Amino acid sequence: MFLIHCPYCNEEREQEEFSPAGEAFIARPEAPEDISDEAWADYVFYRTNHKGDHWEQWVHSNGCRKYFMVERSTITHEILKVAAFGADISE
Amino acid sequence: MRVEQITSHQIDRSKPLTFIFNNKKYKGFEGDTLASALIANDALLFARSFKYGRKRGLMAAGVEEPNALVSLEMGGRYTPNLKATEIPLYDGLSAKSATNPHSFDLRAFIKPLHRFMPAGFYYKTFIKQAVWAKVEDSLRALSGFSEAPTQEDVDVYDHVHHHAEVLIVGGGAAGMSAALEVLKNSDSERVILVDERARLGGELFNEFASDEAAAIWHEEGVADLCGFAKEQSDRFTMLTRATAYAWHDQNYVEVLETHATGENLSLTNGSQVRKTLHKIRAKKVILATGAHERPMLFEANDLTNIMLSQSVRRYLNEFGAVSGKKVVVYGNNDSIYQTAQDLHRCNISCTVIDVRSAGATNSIADKTRQGGIKVMQGYAIVKAHGSDKVDGIDVALAVRQGVSWEVIGESESLSCDLLATSGGFNPVVHLDCHTGAKATFDEVSQAFLPQKERPNRQTCGAVSGVGAWHDAVIDAKNKAQLTLQSLGVVSEVNNAELGENHSNYYNVGEFFTPAAIIERPKVFLDLQNDVTTLDVALSIREGYRSIEHIKRYTAMGFGTDQGKTGNINGIAVAAAILGKTMPEVGTTTFRPAYTGVDFGALAGRENGGLFDPQRYTTIHDSHVAKGAEFEVVGQWYRPWYYPKTGENIHQAVHRECLAARTSLGMMDASTLGKIDVQGPDAREFLSRVYTNAWMKLAPGSCRYGLMCNEKGMIIDDGVSTCIGDNHFIMTTTTGGAASVYSTLEMWLQTEWNHLDVHLNSVTDHYSTIAVVGPNARNLMKLLCQDVDFDRESFKFMQWRPGIVCGVSARIMRISFSGELAYEINVEANYGRYIWDQVATVGEKWNITPYGTESMHVLRAEKGYIIVGQDTDGSMTPADVNMNWIVANNKPFSFIGQRSFSIAALSAENRFQLIGLLTKDASVVIPEGAHIIDNGGKSVGYVTSSYFSPMLGRSIAMAQMQGGLSKVGETTIVKIVQEKQGLKEIPCEISSSVFYDINGERVDGND
């Protein structure tokens, strides 16, 4: 039910054009074989399920098919920021 | 009856209409609702209540009506559970009560037993499944709602998307005023006004009889709005009979509009849209949703002809209809005097009983007395009398003692035939709360008001506690100004003063919940769900303290009611019993939908052939011409089998399979997902996403790959072809094409954006025709002259470019049947041509087209898995006995590899893929049947099962706990057969490869 601004198409479009793709900043471990089962499980299964402002990934699945990052309040569903991968999100 | 003095313009007495209700014929007028017409006909019984079987009539005049649920029309236009108060009358209308009040059914039988059926009765009685199973059918029939439709809906429904600067919900005095203010003070802003009723004005009609200014303001307001709608139609939309039933995030409001002729079959004749679902995205929302009156509480307050005071007033003033001659008006606020005065003006005898003691309210009481109406101040109704319909009441003195009420002294009896009550007003905060706003209790107006501040939203009129129409008009203008300011349209805001005492215009008294009343039986809070004060008391005694739990235990506010009439009184009763204040108890959560929404409206035009995209290969017409039956796989219409005249599916599949195994078969394999993978890092990419090795696959070769997710579970499989060092074509399962493509893109875009690889979905770009069988090589030699098909020079799992019948093609030697086979890939538009050429040239070997069913049999004979059928997202390569395809020594830890070393994935009791051979070779096990161990416990289930024509026996694949170590053992498969109980099928556990175990057939016979 959101309007999402796609940073690649540079347009605000209905949510039905997009698909959620999980929490952002879940990096794949560099050397999976060298880490413990716990650390691997943490990467594969555990997510923060954060209440508040939360960075997540979305994909413009019925559009440009690009993945990007969205900062969204999980309380109000307000979308605070949208960023392409590699973009500076510190501001 | 109809009151002649009322000269309402809302009904047209010159246009009589005939209609049928519960099989009886009645007459009404143009402009009536079904409810008002029945009141005019003195037909007052609408329902039997769902739990206690009590007869019920109308309580309200609008959307909040809890009792008068009806089904409209029959057949393809049958619509269940509409409120009689919301159905505009038309000639020939035919409706029935959801629960027939006149029939003598199980409900009437239950009625004397109702004191044994408190809250939780069903939970407690039927917690034993055995008891429930016996009575479920008969109890479900008593749900209190209409029967479900049995025929397809013949009507058409639309969806319309809107974008607006301002959406105004509610077209009463406040909503009209807000809309006019916004329109008059802006030029280009898009404005939408929606109202649930057929006519703008809301509760304003009630005032017409006593306040000429109200009628004049209404007439001018409607004219102005219609003017805007006509002259500025590009920016102003006005929707009536349109209910805003859900408010989602970012001001996305869903509105269901019933077209004026929507339920009138004689007019629409099936050609017109019946309802439209408007999806409105608004920058600002102004809520002018008004308030619902709440009833007073006393014993037997559910008898027929006990109604809400403002509803009695509305039936009288708007429709000239009233259901009694001797009326008692009872309540705790000043609005009851207006109802009494309106009735009195029509020469209807009435008495006012005001629960508030004499004192502060003397002026309006005295004025009413001077008009000749009997007024009793400081009295409470303890009980109503009557069998089907109210015929009298018991009243006693009511006294406020500190924080609680008491009823004292002997009660006296009064007779009446209509009782109108008002216990104050509940602002309609439902919509506002859909997106998480909290309603807060306001002591002054004794009501839960909407949250004060919310971004991009204003509230005005009765929903904000501003009850008088002239105050609501000013309040709405102020809020409209604020809205325009927030849009930057106006810079300064005119903030006009509202009248004195506007926040409690009707002087609503405290909730009247003395113990002497709420401890009585049959004091109903929620009439639709038969919830009484004793049910609330019981749920509190049994330990439920939160109002959310009390609601669920008692079912208060369930069904179509959704907390419109009963919940706030329920909260007051819970507060009285718990010794808490209203804010301490709080409200329950309001969720969408505010009112019922037709399934047809939700579906819109995405119905029948438009429900889901239908995909056809370019060869489709040929399959149709050959009489193929189709199955849908991932939106594709794939030939399932090609029956010849008189053949059933088994005979057809038998013939098709034997053809492929003994001579020559052909199949349309175009639907397999195809992804073009290009770039210098293409090999590296494939190595990362597949479990096996790809670095050394030479151009001209193909390789089968198995794809897992990071959990180590199989998600897809398919053959990839090496076109060149930088170029591969990956195939995926037909159903998994879209999700695999999306997953691969995710890895490339989010984790591996340094890899120089580009993906493109090319599923639709190529047609793929598989030629399968011992004569496949002979056929290919005739079709294509520039490729050497010798078995040693064109080996299994290789591909060659060639010209097939003049068309440039890629020919892969791959096999999903174990037979010698080639797949001819050509540009999609040549597919039909090549298919026909193959069929013609193949005639000398009796080439036989086969469909997905035979494909499944052929692959199952070879033990090849179908991802998603033999695996379910919890199977590792080891579980399906495919460890041979896992290359654990690749430099990059491929997707899922790390998970394989987790102990749980090598546990002995994991489900593993095995074969099952029934002891009786002719028995084919149904797919889904369970494998049962000696202790009677399920240890697995059958995933694929067929009769193999080549082997002349049944074969099955199954997932079984620890199955791979049990090969050779005997086990029992049990199936449940309808009406025959359990059937046992003894089986031998075997390898899942049944045919050509050594793989000798893939090179052919020559």
Side-chain angles (χ1 to χ4, degrees):
Chain A
M1 307 292 175
F2 313 141
L3 283 178
I4 299 174
H5 182 95
C6 173
Y8 293 96
C9 299
N10 205 19
E11 274 199 38
E12 198 161 56
R13 312 290 298 203
E14 285 286 342
Q15 185 190 328
E16 57 197 38
E17 291 188 12
F18 300 84
S19 308
E23 188 175 335
F25 310 129
I26 305 291
R28 189 170 200 261
E30 293 272 325
E33 306 304 318
D34 298 342
I35 63 173
S36 67
D37 282 0
E38 287 71 25
W40 179 252
D42 188 59
Y43 155 68
V44 176
F45 295 106
Y46 287 83
R47 297 295 179 266
T48 57
N49 197 21
H50 181 60
K51 184 177 181 181
D53 298 349
H54 179 245
W55 278 99
E56 55 201 11
Q57 298 181 144
W58 284 76
V59 56
H60 198 177
S61 40
N62 291 312
C64 65
R65 292 179 171 177
K66 283 286 195 184
Y67 285 77
F68 56 94
M69 296 184 291
V70 171
E71 189 186 26
R72 182 175 66 93
S73 165
T74 57
I75 301 169
T76 65
H77 302 310
E78 189 186 353
I79 291 177
L80 307 163
K81 281 180 199 158
V82 172
F85 279 93
D88 180 13
I89 57 162
S90 59
E91 295 167 22
Chain B
M1 62 182 180
R2 205 67 84 161
V3 181
E4 297 307 322
Q5 289 97 317
I6 297 289
T7 53
S8 165
H9 296 302
Q10 308 314 324
I11 51 166
D12 187 344
R13 293 181 195 243
S14 69
K15 287 183 184 156
L17 304 171
T18 310
F19 66 100
I20 294 166
F21 180 65
N22 285 341
N23 302 320
K24 269 181 82 175
K25 218 172 208 177
Y26 297 98
K27 281 195 160 60
F29 293 123
E30 180 89 35
D32 262 324
T33 64
L34 177 59
S36 71
L38 285 166
I39 284 185
N41 282 284
D42 293 313
L44 304 176
L45 282 179
F46 272 89
R48 266 190 195 279
S49 73
F50 100 105
K51 194 166 163 191
Y52 301 136
R54 293 172 67 86
K55 291 185 179 179
R56 298 274 167 79
L58 286 162
M59 175 175 162
V63 65
E64 72 271 33
E65 170 59 38
N67 298 325
L69 292 182
V70 302
S71 60
L72 195 60
E73 304 304 344
M74 302 292 282
R77 282 218 165 74
Y78 173 87
T79 310
N81 300 323
L82 294 170
K83 288 157 191 157
T85 51
E86 295 197 294
I87 301 172
L89 200 65
Y90 52 84
D91 204 40
L93 175 149
S94 169
K96 275 170 88 169
S97 289
T99 54
N100 191 342
H102 305 291
S103 74
F104 189 84
D105 62 9
L106 192 53
R107 262 182 222 98
F109 169 74
I110 287 172
K111 187 177 170 184
L113 304 176
H114 76 245
R115 67 195 166 98
F116 304 113
M117 297 168 64
F121 170 78
Y122 287 107
Y123 298 135
K124 289 168 185 165
T125 310
F126 299 117
I127 194 161
K128 291 199 176 71
Q129 281 290 320
V131 183
W132 174 242
K134 289 200 176 73
V135 296
E136 180 177 356
D137 282 352
S138 43
L139 281 176
R140 290 232 187 264
L142 302 182
S143 69
F145 294 104
S146 303
E147 283 169 30
T150 53
Q151 291 185 30
E152 195 174 327
D153 191 335
V154 298
D155 274 305
V156 176
Y157 302 84
D158 252 343
H159 288 180
V160 177
H161 292 259
H162 301 264
H163 291 267
E165 272 67 45
V166 185
L167 167 66
I168 298 136
V169 181
M176 287 171 65
S177 169
L180 284 167
E181 188 72 5
V182 171
L183 288 165
K184 285 174 182 169
N185 292 288
S186 62
D187 300 319
S188 58
E189 279 62 31
R190 293 162 298 178
V191 181
I192 300 174
L193 172 65
V194 302
D195 188 70
E196 66 191 5
R197 295 185 183 168
R199 297 183 282 264
L200 291 179
E203 296 293 312
L204 200 53
F205 295 104
N206 288 350
E207 313 291 336
F208 288 4
S210 53
D211 186 349
E212 206 185 341
I216 293 169
W217 187 90
H218 178 259
E219 195 181 344
E220 288 175 0
V222 170
D224 286 352
L225 285 168
C226 289
F228 276 111
K230 202 174 161 195
E231 284 152 27
Q232 303 190 15
S233 59
D234 54 335
R235 72 154 181 143
F236 180 49
T237 307
M238 194 160 70
L239 303 173
T240 52
R241 304 208 64 213
T243 306
Y245 67 85
W247 187 358
H248 302 288
D249 298 304
Q250 300 177 4
N251 283 355
Y252 179 67
V253 180
E254 289 178 310
V255 175
L256 181 64
E257 180 188 17
T258 303
H259 296 285
T261 54
E263 267 121 19
N264 187 346
L265 3 175
S266 57
L267 291 181
T268 65
N269 207 14
S271 60
Q272 242 176 308
V273 173
R274 178 173 184 158
K275 298 194 180 193
T276 300
L277 180 55
H278 297 271
K279 302 177 171 193
I280 302 174
R281 184 76 71 170
K283 290 218 168 73
K284 309 286 172 186
V285 176
I286 300 177
L287 289 181
T289 47
H292 293 148
E293 199 164 30
R294 56 182 177 244
M296 292 294 286
L297 300 178
F298 46 88
E299 183 175 341
N301 60 342
D302 66 325
L303 288 174
T304 300
N305 241 13
I306 298 179
M307 295 170 70
L308 291 168
S309 161
Q310 291 298 306
S311 297
V312 169
R313 212 173 153 212
R314 185 171 158 208
Y315 282 121
L316 179 71
N317 290 323
E318 192 172 343
F319 304 102
V322 67
S323 55
K325 290 176 179 148
K326 191 174 181 192
V327 188
V328 168
V329 189
Y330 172 51
N332 69 347
N333 63 76
D334 291 356
S335 76
I336 56 175
Y337 293 95
Q338 296 177 326
T339 304
Q341 286 162 6
D342 286 358
L343 288 162
H344 186 72
R345 206 173 291 120
C346 296
N347 298 325
I348 295 163
S349 150
C350 68
T351 303
V352 175
I353 301 176
D354 189 340
V355 78
R356 300 168 299 175
S357 55
T361 60
N362 278 357
S363 76
I364 190 163
D366 289 345
K367 206 177 128 199
T368 307
R369 279 196 191 96
Q370 284 157 19
I373 298 169
K374 186 182 174 192
V375 176
M376 297 165 71
Q377 286 172 284
Y379 280 87
I381 297 181
V382 179
K383 181 179 180 178
H385 299 282
S387 53
D388 287 351
K389 195 173 155 229
V390 64
D391 59 18
I393 50 173
D394 289 350
V395 294
L397 276 172
V399 183
R400 182 84 174 163
Q401 301 274 26
V403 294
S404 58
W405 288 95
E406 281 187 21
V407 176
I408 54 173
E410 289 289 303
S411 60
E412 58 174 298
S413 291
L414 286 176
S415 69
C416 69
D417 61 359
L418 170 61
L419 174 53
T421 83
S422 175
F425 301 91
N426 299 331
V428 181
V429 297
H430 299 64
L431 209 56
D432 196 37
C433 294
H434 284 177
T435 48
K438 292 281 177 228
T440 49
F441 191 72
D442 174 51
E443 292 289 344
V444 178
S445 56
Q446 290 287 298
F448 282 96
L449 294 182
Q451 186 171 317
K452 279 216 159 47
E453 299 280 324
R454 294 204 79 197
N456 303 318
R457 175 279 258 156
Q458 296 286 346
T459 64
C460 59
V463 69
S464 307
V466 179
W469 76 269
H470 37 84
D471 285 332
V473 166
I474 300 168
D475 186 35
K477 282 186 180 178
N478 291 344
K479 301 298 171 54
Q481 289 276 339
L482 286 170
T483 302
L484 288 168
Q485 187 188 35
S486 66
L487 284 166
V489 176
V490 299
S491 49
E492 287 194 26
V493 172
N494 301 318
N495 207 357
E497 284 286 320
L498 272 64
E500 210 179 315
N501 194 27
H502 66 267
S503 56
N504 191 10
Y505 182 74
Y506 293 113
N507 295 305
V508 179
E510 289 96 343
F511 282 86
F512 188 66
T513 52
I517 285 181
I518 64 173
E519 287 171 4
R520 283 171 173 266
K522 293 181 280 185
V523 182
F524 285 90
L525 292 164
D526 177 341
L527 275 68
Q528 189 169 85
N529 298 294
D530 268 350
V531 180
T532 69
T533 51
L534 293 184
D535 293 322
V536 171
L538 177 72
S539 70
I540 291 170
R541 275 206 308 283
E542 296 197 351
Y544 299 96
R545 294 291 148 90
S546 154
I547 192 66
E548 296 279 13
H549 294 158
I550 293 168
K551 167 189 166 173
R552 279 158 185 79
Y553 195 63
T554 59
M556 183 170 73
F558 282 23
T560 71
D561 185 65
Q562 289 298 303
K564 292 182 186 72
T565 55
N567 268 29
I568 306 298
N569 276 339
I571 292 164
V573 168
I577 295 170
L578 290 164
K580 289 183 175 177
T581 62
M582 293 290 285
E584 283 170 341
V585 176
T587 62
T588 53
T589 310
F590 298 103
R591 295 187 180 85
Y594 172 65
T595 52
V597 182
D598 309 60
F599 282 111
L602 292 174
R605 304 261 179 172
E606 291 163 23
N607 210 337
L610 299 178
F611 177 68
D612 201 31
Q614 298 174 2
R615 304 176 78 182
Y616 305 104
T617 72
T618 55
I619 310 167
H620 186 77
D621 289 350
S622 168
H623 306 320
V624 173
K626 285 225 167 66
E629 295 288 336
F630 291 88
E631 73 168 335
V632 180
V633 185
Q635 300 173 338
W636 286 101
Y637 280 67
R638 300 197 68 179
W640 186 18
Y641 60 99
Y642 297 81
K644 290 196 165 171
T645 312
E647 273 185 343
N648 62 24
I649 180 170
H650 302 294
Q651 292 161 331
V653 168
H654 194 93
R655 173 177 52 76
E656 290 170 15
C657 287
L658 287 179
R661 289 271 183 237
T662 60
S663 178
L664 196 52
M666 64 191 289
M667 196 187 69
D668 181 359
S670 310
T671 63
L672 280 183
K674 292 177 274 290
I675 299 170
D676 198 72
V677 183
Q678 295 198 41
D681 293 320
R683 282 179 191 282
E684 172 66 21
F685 178 68
L686 292 178
S687 297
R688 292 181 177 197
V689 298
Y690 279 124
T691 62
N692 48 343
W694 292 84
M695 297 313 278
K696 291 177 186 156
L697 184 68
S701 292
C702 312
R703 184 165 288 172
Y704 173 79
L706 198 59
M707 195 183 288
C708 293
N709 56 22
E710 284 284 44
K711 301 176 186 80
M713 305 303 160
I714 298 166
I715 56 167
D716 199 62
D717 69 345
V719 170
S720 293
T721 301
C722 182
I723 306 293
D725 280 326
N726 295 348
H727 187 190
F728 292 78
I729 292 178
M730 171 190 284
T731 60
T732 72
T733 53
T734 296
S739 70
V740 167
Y741 180 75
S742 176
T743 303
L744 298 181
E745 276 290 346
M746 186 189 73
W747 285 115
L748 280 178
Q749 290 182 34
T750 66
E751 283 279 348
W752 304 332
N753 50 17
H754 54 279
L755 288 188
D756 193 355
V757 181
H758 298 271
L759 306 180
N760 191 17
S761 170
V762 293
T763 303
D764 297 334
H765 299 200
Y766 298 102
S767 284
T768 306
I769 295 150
V771 294
V772 179
N775 286 312
R777 185 176 289 121
N778 297 331
L779 174 77
M780 289 310 296
K781 284 177 180 167
L782 294 183
L783 291 171
C784 173
Q785 276 74 47
D786 62 343
V787 171
D788 178 3
F789 286 96
D790 185 82
R791 64 189 288 174
E792 293 308 321
S793 51
F794 187 174
K795 289 182 178 158
F796 181 54
M797 296 310 273
Q798 288 186 331
W799 76 276
R800 297 288 178 266
I803 304 294
V804 177
C805 304
V807 177
S808 176
R810 288 184 182 132
I811 303 162
M812 281 87 172
R813 218 195 117 188
I814 54 183
S815 177
F816 195 41
S817 58
E819 293 298 322
L820 172 67
Y822 299 86
E823 289 188 1
I824 307 166
N825 286 271
V826 291
E827 267 186 55
N829 287 345
Y830 290 108
R832 175 69 196 271
Y833 168 72
I834 297 296
W835 176 268
D836 288 345
Q837 294 301 309
V838 169
T840 307
V841 178
E843 268 172 21
K844 61 188 290 193
W845 295 286
N846 191 24
I847 193 164
T848 303
Y850 67 87
T852 52
E853 189 66 19
S854 295
M855 177 190 82
H856 277 130
V857 176
L858 296 170
R859 66 90 199 174
E861 287 172 341
K862 287 289 294 174
Y864 297 153
I865 60 164
I866 299 259
V867 173
Q869 176 168 338
D870 301 300
T871 69
D872 64 358
S874 70
M875 306 287 280
T876 65
D879 295 336
V880 296
N881 207 14
M882 286 175 72
N883 259 344
W884 55 269
I885 201 170
V886 179
N888 277 323
N889 51 357
K890 292 194 281 187
F892 187 91
S893 180
F894 62 82
I895 301 299
Q897 181 180 2
R898 175 63 182 84
S899 289
F900 297 150
S901 57
I902 287 172
L905 295 201
S906 48
E908 281 180 5
N909 65 344
R910 287 190 63 77
F911 283 92
Q912 293 167 333
L913 189 74
I914 45 131
L916 289 176
L917 293 169
T918 52
K919 298 280 184 190
D920 178 348
S922 67
V923 173
V924 180
I925 314 171
E927 285 171 1
H930 278 253
I931 304 169
I932 306 295
D933 71 5
N934 292 334
K937 191 170 153 279
S938 168
V939 291
Y941 55 93
V942 175
T943 59
S944 294
S945 181
Y946 310 95
F947 187 85
S948 162
M950 279 311 282
L951 297 168
R953 61 154 303 123
S954 79
I955 54 170
M957 292 157 83
Q959 290 188 17
M960 183 182 185
Q961 285 186 297
L964 288 171
S965 63
K966 296 193 173 74
V967 170
E969 293 179 18
T970 295
T971 191
I972 299 291
V973 171
K974 282 192 183 175
I975 55 171
V976 180
Q977 292 180 312
E978 204 171 352
K979 300 213 168 98
Q980 292 173 36
L982 279 176
K983 182 182 170 190
E984 294 190 357
I985 305 172
C987 300
E988 186 191 315
I989 301 167
S990 71
S991 150
S992 55
V993 183
F994 302 97
Y995 179 71
D996 180 33
I997 291 159
N998 298 323
E1000 290 150 347
R1001 300 193 57 82
V1002 75
D1003 278 331
N1005 298 333
D1006 52 337

